[in-house]
Amino acid sequence: MAAIKVDMKQGIVHDRQHLVKGGKEAVDAAMTVGALSAAMSGAGPSYFALCGSEYVAHSAVRAMRDAFGSVGVESFGVVSSLSTPGGRIL
């Protein structure tokens, strides 16, 4: 999974939906490089892309960062694996 966190000072569009500037472009960019899905996490400003391989995840991070950068929004990204055990009693 690739995750992107956007600098809120630069990226947030102040409206009821809390849209992040460049968000649609970032999702489109992740999908273009092969992500299985991509979206804003909750109310933002984080975005994620679900990817089928580590290679695609790294490509998605680069593509999403480039998309945010193209509209002047700074961001950083990480690639991590999903936790698959699900819910459990501790």
Side-chain angles (χ1 to χ4, degrees), residues 82-88:
L82 294 174
S83 176
T84 58
R88 57 190 178 270

Side-chain angles (χ1 to χ4, degrees), residues 6-89:
V6 174
D7 180 348
M8 287 185 68
K9 295 184 296 279
Q10 295 182 16
I12 273 295
V13 174
H14 296 285
D15 68 8
R16 290 180 52 117
Q17 297 177 356
H18 304 288
L19 297 176
V20 175
K21 182 172 138 183
K24 179 184 181 325
E25 294 85 350
V27 167
D28 291 345
M31 299 301 290
T32 297
V33 299
L36 302 172
S37 183
M40 183 169 65
S41 179
S46 296
Y47 277 74
F48 68 92
L50 296 176
C51 304
S53 73
E54 188 173 347
Y55 175 82
V56 173
H58 284 283
S59 297
V61 166
R62 282 190 299 276
M64 293 173 87
R65 290 197 68 211
D66 288 347
F68 282 119
S70 73
V71 294
V73 177
E74 291 184 35
S75 64
F76 70 90
V78 295
V79 173
S80 67
S81 60
L82 294 174
S83 176
T84 58
R88 57 190 178 270
I89 298 173

